[in-house]
Amino acid sequence: MKSQLTPVRIETAQGTFTAFFSDKGLAQLDFPAQKTESCHRSTLAPSSPPPAKIRLWTRQTRAALDAIFAGQKCSERPPLDWSAGTPFQKRVWSILTSIPAGRTLSYGEIAEKLKSPAAARAVGGACGANPIPVIVPCHRVLAANRKLGGFSGGLDWKRKLLAAENVVDLSS
DNA sequence: CACTCGATCAGCG
DNA sequence: CGCTGATCGAGTG
């Protein structure tokens, strides 16, 4: 059975995010679209599925987002569906979720945790491929010299999120 | 399989 | 600062 994704709008203090749920959990999270009104995707889940679990996951996702925006640790988090990722990416993402709020790691440090010290650049690639930003805190990964590095959703988001966690160590 | 490209990093001028 | 080479995973043909 092809786990088609169910899009759900999630409103937060930072804008309206779009979550995509598979039958396993949260599979993707998009930043608020500027003005893109193209939600013309086929109306999935037409009638019968009263997705109780979707509603639960939505609530958990919103709670996690709110907590992160407040610089707190997200105690409640929906199940994450990483089935689309490669084994390497899953290992990287797994480490990302273990970074506590307010802490940062460098790409190289994550590579060391993977016991592949030279794979720093590959780690960067895995972070960029992360389908669930914010909740999988890819924004807590900086370059080795404490510089910002990059961010798929736009560097302003990365700054914003880090500022919320009182990380101001950015030596630009 | 060969080749290219990155959200890297350390070294050197 | 800015440039260069080394290295690794992933995508492409």
Side-chain angles (χ1 to χ4, degrees):
Chain A
M1 170 159 153
K2 201 95 152 97
S3 58
Q4 57 183 358
L5 300 182
T6 303
V8 176
R9 287 165 36 107
I10 297 185
E11 309 199 1
T12 75
Q14 303 300 323
T16 302
F17 284 64
T18 306
F20 294 86
F21 295 102
S22 71
D23 55 334
K24 290 185 174 181
L26 179 59
Q28 185 180 346
L29 185 66
D30 287 355
F31 285 99
Q34 282 299 338
K35 270 300 181 185
T36 327
E37 195 128 346
S38 57
C39 234
H40 51 19
R41 204 61 175 176
S42 60
T43 342
L44 313 113
S47 50
S48 53
K53 65 180 183 180
I54 296 276
R55 298 226 311 148
L56 171 63
W57 293 344
T58 299
R59 187 174 62 77
Q60 291 174 325
T61 301
R62 179 169 37 231
L65 288 176
D66 287 342
I68 291 174
F69 292 149
Q72 299 167 0
K73 178 180 181 179
C74 49
S75 52
E76 199 173 16
R77 189 159 48 193
L80 306 178
D81 182 3
W82 287 340
S83 55
T86 67
F88 178 81
Q89 289 169 341
K90 291 176 188 174
R91 283 198 292 278
V92 172
W93 300 339
S94 172
I95 289 179
L96 293 186
T97 58
S98 75
I99 306 178
R103 291 272 312 196
T104 63
L105 289 180
S106 71
Y107 298 95
E109 285 175 308
I110 293 179
E112 285 186 12
K113 284 179 177 262
L114 292 173
K115 293 171 183 170
S116 304
R121 201 161 181 186
V123 169
C127 289
N130 169 27
I132 314 174
V134 186
I135 292 186
V136 175
C138 46
H139 59 278
R140 298 187 188 135
V141 185
L142 307 179
N145 44 3
R146 306 276 182 182
K147 289 194 185 310
L148 251 188
F151 196 63
S152 46
L155 280 176
D156 44 341
W157 273 108
K158 191 168 185 176
R159 287 198 202 98
K160 206 171 197 174
L161 292 165
L162 290 173
E165 300 181 2
N166 291 322
V167 177
V168 214
D169 192 20
L170 312 176
S171 64
S172 75

